[in-house]
Amino acid sequence: MKPKFILSLLLSGFYLVATAQQVKFTEFDLDNGLHVILHEDKTAPVVVVSVMYHVGSKDEQPERTGFAHFFEHLLFEGSPNMKRGEFMKIVSSNGGDNNANTSQDRTYYYESFPSNQLELGLWLESERMLHPKIDVAGVKTQNEVVKEEKRMRMDNSPYGKFTQNIFTNLFEGHPYRWQPIGSMEHLDAATLPEFLAFFKKYYAPNNAVLTIAGDIDPGKTKELVKKYFDEVPKGAPVVKQKFELKPITKQIIDTAYDANIQIPAIFAAYRVPGMQSRDNKVLGLISTLLSGGGSSRLSTKLVDDKKTALQVAAFNYSLEDYGAYITFALPNNNTPLNDLLKDIDAEVERLKTDLISESEYTKLQNQFENGFISANSKMLGVAENLASGYTFQNKNTNDINEELNVVKSITREEIREVARKYLNQNQRVVLYYLPQK
């Protein structure tokens, strides 16, 4: 396998916080509690219609995992006004594309259309929210789809279960300990009334954000939103359960075996604050410093100079309640995994003792700012970042415009202190990920 494969695998499902400066928007609430965000951009004749529901795998019961991800699929089944399986056909036949994804904290649906199809996008999402087709036939169909997805992405994918093994230990006592795809046994055992109850509780307008970005007239769009979403009934308030985890005070060592790999890997994971924390943003800079590009510290040391690693990386897996700061390496020339871990640890310790140089600091700031611009160069990025700011930053939609200034205010001293606070060996999980004979 190519060494770069695992890095793309690790990053494929992560929410990357990156925004452009001064994204203009308007926002309002419908009487049923639906929060609506509008962003006008006449650059191209396209429009994105998206809905973010504040429900993910952490909202599931331990004996019924996988529900949120299951609904990501189930809500494409249709409605009384749409035949089963017609949702995506309607989108594609009108020049659009669509998708959805689920994390531990939210479920996100979107359609991208030529701007003259804005009303169609609003109708589709209102149908999904108002009266989706949830029946035995749809549940059975999507159950098989989810099982196949699990086989492809986890069971038969190289390194596909590393997060499962890490999170089981890192988040013991929290729903983050299971993966969004959940347990197939739980889904098999679930009844139709359980699925209906889950939908009623979490997929109400007062637990959602509708974001429309692109070539729109805000006044006309507001009227269209009312036309299609006013009739959706408000749900009961969603009360999120709070989880307080005890600190990890002793290194946890685990081993996992994977029949899909030939090259072993070494992972080290630290439990860190969630995405609302300033320290979370500092950890994002630290991951860029250690492995953001070919000239980063870890890549230069292990891949270029010592040639002991085929690939090495550090990344901040950012979630709402907590986060996971993870390092990993693939060995070159049969280098012992413990040697790789020792060299990674040495670079982490250097962060905790020495201030990074002024040139490194400037490079970090430039990399982050470039990421902001790149992420919001398309309406899909703008729509998701607006929705995420409202959902996860205390209803502060303007977080999209504030975050760059926050990151620029982070000092070199702060980087050192955050590394000292969270990246300690007695606070982590070490996973040896080995080929299964």
Side-chain angles (χ1 to χ4, degrees):
M1 60 174 287
K2 296 181 179 180
K4 67 179 181 180
F5 172 82
I6 187 172
L7 183 57
S8 63
L9 174 71
L10 299 180
L11 298 179
S12 62
F14 300 162
Y15 168 60
L16 302 178
V17 182
T19 52
Q21 296 185 63
Q22 296 308 310
V23 175
K24 296 181 179 180
F25 61 90
T26 57
E27 54 189 333
F28 60 94
D29 291 312
L30 298 184
D31 291 341
N32 57 17
L34 179 65
H35 189 72
V36 185
I37 305 170
L38 308 180
H39 168 68
E40 180 184 7
D41 188 325
K42 300 290 188 180
T43 304
V46 297
V47 64
V48 172
V49 177
S50 71
V51 177
M52 181 174 287
Y53 293 93
H54 196 181
V55 56
S57 57
K58 78 173 183 187
D59 299 295
E60 300 160 352
Q61 296 302 312
E63 68 280 0
R64 286 293 183 267
T65 63
F67 266 45
H69 173 260
F70 194 83
F71 268 92
E72 174 197 319
H73 294 264
L74 192 60
L75 294 190
F76 282 97
E77 279 290 300
S79 74
N81 300 315
M82 192 188 319
K83 293 181 180 179
R84 190 184 305 279
E86 287 292 307
F87 192 106
M88 288 183 279
K89 292 180 181 179
I90 292 172
V91 173
S92 61
S93 64
N94 286 276
D97 62 83
N98 66 283
N99 213 330
N101 53 72
T102 308
S103 77
Q104 287 86 347
D105 301 306
R106 93 291 183 273
T107 306
Y108 186 65
Y109 301 87
Y110 70 84
E111 294 80 43
S112 178
F113 277 115
S115 53
N116 62 357
Q117 297 296 334
L118 166 63
E119 189 167 359
L120 175 61
L122 293 172
W123 176 74
L124 287 168
E125 286 301 336
S126 67
E127 287 290 293
R128 197 200 307 269
M129 186 181 294
L130 177 61
H131 43 208
K133 189 173 292 184
I134 303 174
D135 56 20
V136 173
V139 168
K140 184 177 180 180
T141 298
Q142 296 306 325
N143 201 339
E144 294 304 314
V145 173
V146 171
K147 286 179 179 178
E148 180 61 21
E149 180 180 344
K150 182 176 183 293
R151 284 190 287 266
M152 290 178 61
R153 293 190 176 185
M154 295 184 68
D155 299 343
N156 300 323
S157 177
Y159 310 96
K161 294 185 178 181
F162 85 93
T163 50
Q164 175 180 303
N165 287 279
I166 288 174
F167 282 25
T168 298
N169 292 297
L170 198 65
F171 297 117
E172 183 179 0
H174 192 288
Y176 287 165
R177 68 184 182 272
W178 61 78
Q179 294 301 293
I181 202 162
S183 163
M184 299 305 99
E185 290 78 11
H186 293 173
L187 293 176
D188 287 341
T191 64
L192 183 61
E194 288 178 304
F195 286 114
L196 292 169
F198 193 82
F199 174 81
K200 183 179 180 180
K201 182 175 182 179
Y202 291 111
Y203 295 83
N206 47 301
N207 196 45
V209 178
L210 169 66
T211 305
I212 305 158
D215 181 17
I216 62 172
D217 179 302
K220 293 180 180 178
T221 303
K222 185 174 182 178
E223 292 307 310
L224 287 173
V225 168
K226 292 179 179 179
K227 174 182 176 181
Y228 287 104
F229 289 90
D230 262 347
E231 65 177 310
V232 183
K234 185 175 185 177
V238 176
V239 179
K240 296 284 184 177
Q241 186 175 351
K242 299 293 184 180
F243 297 90
E244 294 292 336
L245 299 183
K246 295 180 180 178
I248 296 173
T249 58
K250 184 179 180 180
Q251 180 172 265
I252 301 169
I253 299 176
D254 198 7
T255 304
Y257 296 92
D258 190 338
N260 302 300
I261 66 172
Q262 296 179 350
I263 302 172
I266 183 77
F267 295 86
Y270 308 79
R271 190 198 301 154
V272 296
M275 60 179 67
Q276 290 184 6
S277 167
R278 179 181 174 93
D279 287 352
N280 183 278
K281 297 175 176 59
V282 180
L283 287 160
L285 290 182
I286 291 175
S287 67
T288 302
L289 176 69
L290 290 178
S291 67
S295 62
S296 59
R297 287 187 175 187
L298 289 178
S299 183
T300 299
K301 180 177 181 177
L302 277 73
V303 177
D304 297 336
D305 295 344
K306 301 185 73 172
K307 295 180 172 55
T308 54
L310 290 171
Q311 190 170 348
V312 62
F315 56 97
N316 191 33
Y317 196 131
S318 189
L319 296 168
E320 185 174 18
D321 296 352
Y322 293 95
Y325 191 88
I326 303 173
T327 66
F328 91 96
L330 297 177
N332 187 30
N333 296 324
N334 296 316
T335 301
L337 295 180
N338 284 335
D339 288 358
L340 295 176
L341 183 60
K342 182 178 179 181
D343 280 341
I344 294 173
D345 286 344
E347 287 304 313
V348 173
E349 289 303 314
R350 184 154 74 100
L351 275 174
K352 293 155 70 173
T353 56
D354 304 332
L355 288 177
I356 67 172
S357 67
E358 289 283 2
S359 61
E360 284 181 310
Y361 179 74
T362 301
K363 179 183 175 182
L364 279 180
Q365 297 288 346
N366 291 337
Q367 286 176 304
F368 197 86
E369 188 164 3
N370 288 338
F372 272 27
I373 296 170
S374 176
N376 278 355
S377 62
K378 295 183 179 180
M379 290 303 98
L380 282 174
V382 174
E384 184 169 2
N385 285 329
L386 285 167
S388 294
Y390 180 83
T391 302
F392 298 118
Q393 302 297 331
N394 296 316
K395 299 185 177 181
N396 178 24
T397 309
N398 199 48
D399 179 74
I400 197 171
N401 295 316
E402 297 171 354
E403 188 166 9
L404 183 58
N405 288 332
V406 173
V407 172
K408 284 185 174 182
S409 72
I410 294 170
T411 65
R412 294 186 299 150
E413 290 79 8
E414 204 169 353
I415 290 173
R416 182 176 61 185
E417 291 306 311
V418 167
R420 287 175 176 175
K421 187 174 182 180
Y422 300 107
L423 305 183
N424 298 303
Q425 295 181 26
N426 66 319
Q427 297 172 272
R428 71 182 182 184
V429 175
V430 173
L431 177 67
Y432 294 86
Y433 203 97
L434 307 177
Q436 186 175 41
K437 295 181 181 179

